[in-house]
């Protein structure tokens, strides 16, 4: 564990450095992030060797590839894997699937509609709060708050942009069952 003042690399980077050190036979490993502020700094951060990490990674990799050879799929983490799932099924194959006997799909449709309604209500409430703040600013560019904090409401000019053609697959859901 690094000191409070000493930066610590994210776990996945520390694991990558550990694997690369092991594979190259290195006795040590460091990572060097770009730190950009009022200049560029390149601090070297030592990555301590974690006993047993490489062996565990080998076991996990072996178990993963055995699962693939059996034709099994990893269990998705839907909160993290949404983009990957969309990418895997990006092509519209024109097929149909019967989900009429899947009660979980009905629950998910109800949840999506509930979340959309909550998002719409939250967006409306946020817009009202922002409108009140703008009204209180009376057209000012900067509003001063306690502690030296500021609200800014400056004009921004944006150039026109051209968007290239894309192909998307929007998910359209029926209303939830009554």
């Amino acid at each position: 564990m690094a000191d409070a003042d000493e930066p610590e690399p994210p776990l996945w980077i520390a694991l990558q450095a550990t694997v690369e050190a092991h594979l190259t036979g290195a006795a040590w490993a460091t990572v060097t992030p770009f730190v950009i502020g009022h200049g560029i700094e390149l601090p070297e951060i030592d990555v301590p060797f974690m006993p047993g990490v490489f062996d565990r990674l080998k076991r996990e990799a072996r178990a993963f590839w055995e699962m693939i050879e059996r034709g099994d799929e990893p269990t998705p983490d839907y909160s993290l894997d949404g983009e990957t799932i969309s990418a895997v099924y990006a092509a519209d194959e024109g097929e149909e699937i019967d989900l009429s006997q899947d009660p979980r799909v009905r629950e998910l449709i109800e949840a999506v509609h509930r979340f959309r309604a909550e998002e719409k209500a939250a967006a409306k409430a946020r817009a009202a709060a922002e409108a009140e703040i703008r009204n209180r600013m009376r057209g000012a560019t900067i509003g001063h708050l306690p502690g030296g904090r500021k609200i800014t409401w400056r004009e921004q000019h944006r150039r026109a942009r051209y968007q290239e053609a894309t192909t998307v697959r929007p998910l359209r859901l029926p209303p939830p069952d009554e």
Side-chain angles (χ1 to χ4, degrees):
M1 191 72 161
D3 293 337
D5 295 336
E6 188 177 323
E8 187 173 323
L11 178 61
W12 70 272
I13 290 176
L15 291 174
Q16 180 179 349
T18 300
V19 168
E20 290 174 1
H22 180 84
L23 293 174
T24 60
W28 55 273
T30 63
V31 295
T32 306
F34 281 99
V35 179
I36 300 173
H38 294 290
I40 298 177
E41 297 177 36
L42 299 167
E44 288 187 6
I45 303 170
D46 289 329
V47 176
F49 283 115
M50 298 172 267
V53 166
F54 190 78
D55 290 334
R56 173 150 182 218
L57 291 171
K58 281 187 356 186
R59 282 193 309 273
E60 297 287 337
R62 186 177 301 115
F64 173 81
W65 288 112
E66 287 171 356
M67 177 185 65
I68 298 301
E69 286 175 3
R70 288 191 309 270
D72 296 340
E73 294 181 6
T75 303
D77 180 337
Y78 296 111
S79 65
L80 299 174
D81 297 334
E83 288 181 21
T84 301
I85 291 167
S86 292
V88 167
Y89 300 112
D92 182 347
E93 311 220 348
E95 296 179 12
E96 296 185 17
I97 187 169
D98 182 3
L99 300 172
S100 61
Q101 302 303 310
D102 188 338
R104 180 68 178 142
V105 170
R106 190 167 65 243
E107 291 172 10
L108 292 168
I109 290 171
E110 290 170 1
V112 168
H113 282 281
R114 185 176 62 253
F115 297 143
R116 286 178 180 170
E118 290 169 2
E119 287 172 354
K120 189 175 181 179
K124 188 175 180 180
R126 188 190 86 212
E130 289 175 353
E132 185 172 347
I133 291 169
R134 288 184 183 98
N135 187 55
R136 290 177 180 275
M137 290 197 55
R138 303 273 186 239
T141 302
I142 297 174
H144 295 277
L145 300 172
R149 296 178 310 141
K150 299 176 192 175
I151 298 171
T152 62
W153 189 20
R154 293 188 170 99
E155 286 184 355
Q156 280 187 340
H157 301 282
R158 297 182 182 152
R159 291 187 228 172
R161 293 185 290 187
Y162 171 78
Q163 181 175 348
E164 302 215 6
T166 58
T167 300
V168 297
R169 290 185 70 190
L171 181 64
R172 292 194 171 86
L173 304 174
D177 293 340
E178 297 299 321

